Amino acid sequence: MIIYHDIFNDDEILTDSYKYEVEDDFCYVFEAKSTTKKGTEITDAMIGGNASAEDAPDALDDPTAETGLDVILNNNLYLNENFGEKKAFRALMKSLIGKMKSKLEPEYFQGVFKSNMEKFVKKMTPEIEEYSIYFGETGQYIAKEDLVAVSACPIFVRYDDSGCSAKVYMLKDFVYEEKA
């Protein structure tokens, strides 16, 4: 298994345990499905038990159950609503591009990286309101006013029309891999 870590702060962001593809050798695109994550209670089902339909509690009865996308829930990603408008999104990306300069080889940064980022920002800006932006644990409390301090890999999520699945976008240069 490969664990993807945030290049800025070492947060574990995602793993390759979900179906994904690499788009333009620049962006990982994961498929996410709606799920309910139950609390920490140990049940018979965890050890192979099979409760009858009459005895099975409804997931909605569990106060610790969370419903959301499997990729988001299982990787403890946090929604940050501060960057869902065009101006804030562009400011976020500008700040992160500047911070990437010290993380990448100068030739790659000036050529491939900047070109790919310009295309990505240009593509995303008109439709950014259709995306939710998540971060790992370190980035969960970033405010618009804190752009100078932003050092976290954004994860972009776009739900399909059904609202039951989504595409999750993670920029390849903003993470590093660890084989587990």
Side-chain angles (χ1 to χ4, degrees):
M1 177 169 73
I2 296 173
I3 300 170
Y4 297 99
H5 291 270
D6 189 318
I7 197 169
F8 298 107
N9 56 44
D10 297 323
D11 283 352
E12 288 185 15
I13 302 291
L14 291 171
T15 70
D16 69 343
S17 61
Y18 303 95
K19 185 176 178 182
Y20 74 97
E21 56 189 44
V22 179
E23 192 174 273
D24 300 327
D25 197 33
F26 179 70
C27 185
Y28 294 108
V29 182
F30 291 84
E31 292 184 21
K33 306 259 185 261
S34 184
T35 188
T36 299
K37 183 177 175 183
K38 297 188 179 172
T40 57
E41 178 183 345
I42 298 175
T43 65
D44 289 340
M46 296 173 129
I47 54 173
N50 189 9
S52 69
E54 297 87 35
D55 295 339
D58 188 359
L60 298 175
D61 294 340
D62 183 354
T64 61
E66 292 179 81
T67 300
L69 295 172
D70 53 359
V71 173
I72 302 301
L73 293 176
N74 295 335
N75 291 286
N76 298 316
L77 299 177
Y78 298 91
L79 177 63
N80 186 318
E81 296 175 333
N82 291 317
F83 304 103
E85 58 188 46
K86 292 176 186 177
K87 185 177 178 182
F89 165 71
R90 291 179 67 79
L92 170 68
M93 297 312 291
K94 183 178 179 182
S95 173
L96 291 174
I97 290 168
K99 289 182 169 83
M100 287 299 290
K101 190 172 190 173
S102 66
K103 305 274 184 195
L104 301 172
E105 294 294 321
E107 292 135 18
Y108 179 78
F109 176 81
Q110 288 297 333
V112 175
F113 176 76
K114 278 186 120 176
S115 173
N116 284 338
M117 285 303 297
E118 286 173 14
K119 289 179 204 168
F120 180 77
V121 171
K122 187 175 182 177
K123 174 188 164 203
M124 293 287 287
T125 300
E127 52 194 42
I128 193 63
E129 286 92 6
E130 297 175 27
Y131 287 82
S132 299
I133 301 176
Y134 289 81
F135 291 93
E137 188 172 348
T138 303
Q140 67 181 310
Y141 300 115
I142 299 170
K144 288 181 201 177
E145 302 78 33
D146 295 336
L147 281 177
V148 174
V150 172
S151 291
C153 173
I155 307 297
F156 303 95
V157 178
R158 185 174 191 170
Y159 285 86
D160 68 4
D161 292 336
S162 73
C164 294
S165 60
K167 298 281 186 189
V168 176
Y169 300 85
M170 179 177 68
L171 301 177
K172 193 174 174 184
D173 288 322
F174 284 50
V175 295
Y176 67 91
E177 297 178 4
E178 173 192 9
K179 291 189 179 190

